[in-house]
Amino acid sequence: MIVLLQMQDPLDTEAYAHRLKAESRLVVRTDNRSPRRPDLVISDGCPHRTDGAPTLILNRGGHAYVPECDCCQRTTARTRWPAFMKQVYEVLGCSPEPATLDTTDEGIARLTPRERDVLSLVGQGKTVEQCAEAMGIAPSTVGNHKHRLMRKLAAKSSLQLLRIAVRSGLADFK
């Protein structure tokens, strides 16, 4: 599902894009150059869209008043993240079902070479620090790769990453 962010403040756009990208089911765009129509537009003002994409207006306190309209749904910046995401999925017309572990060949094929290396080392039971030492990179970089792995493969823990590595043949216990 494609979510298009159309906010006036680039910092707001960046912050919401970062948080929304953590949702594995959403593809987040900040520009409308793609020919494919977004499934949802999140904006801080009514764009009066004619392409039929539903719009969720984000009212921020202290900013310009956004006039009422019939074409948009509304939320506020004070809404807590879980409630905001629930509203996003309601507007999209689906539920935020928990993702299942992606141990398929396609799931593994989506990984970058570095992510595969990290998955292989995690599959051998290595810690972030041990992975960093083995790869010659900073522990924070390994942590970033591990975070992206967990998001891409819908893993909730290092143990689940280990299971995926073993099932996919990336981990070898010698």
Side-chain angles (χ1 to χ4, degrees), residues 23-55:
E23 294 290 317
S24 60
R25 297 178 63 188
L26 302 179
V27 174
V28 181
R29 292 192 329 226
T30 56
D31 61 53
N32 202 16
R33 293 184 203 146
S34 173
R36 182 156 176 236
R37 177 182 78 94
D39 298 299
L40 172 66
V41 176
I42 298 176
S43 179
D44 52 8
C46 179
H48 299 293
R49 298 186 65 83
T50 58
D51 62 5
T55 302

Side-chain angles (χ1 to χ4, degrees), residues 120 163-172:
S120 177
R163 288 178 183 158
I164 292 169
V166 170
R167 288 180 189 162
S168 65
L170 290 175
D172 188 16

Side-chain angles (χ1 to χ4, degrees), residues 85-101:
M85 287 310 302
K86 182 179 179 192
Q87 192 169 9
V88 165
Y89 282 112
E90 284 174 1
V91 173
L92 286 168
C94 62
S95 64
E97 298 171 9
T100 57
L101 286 179

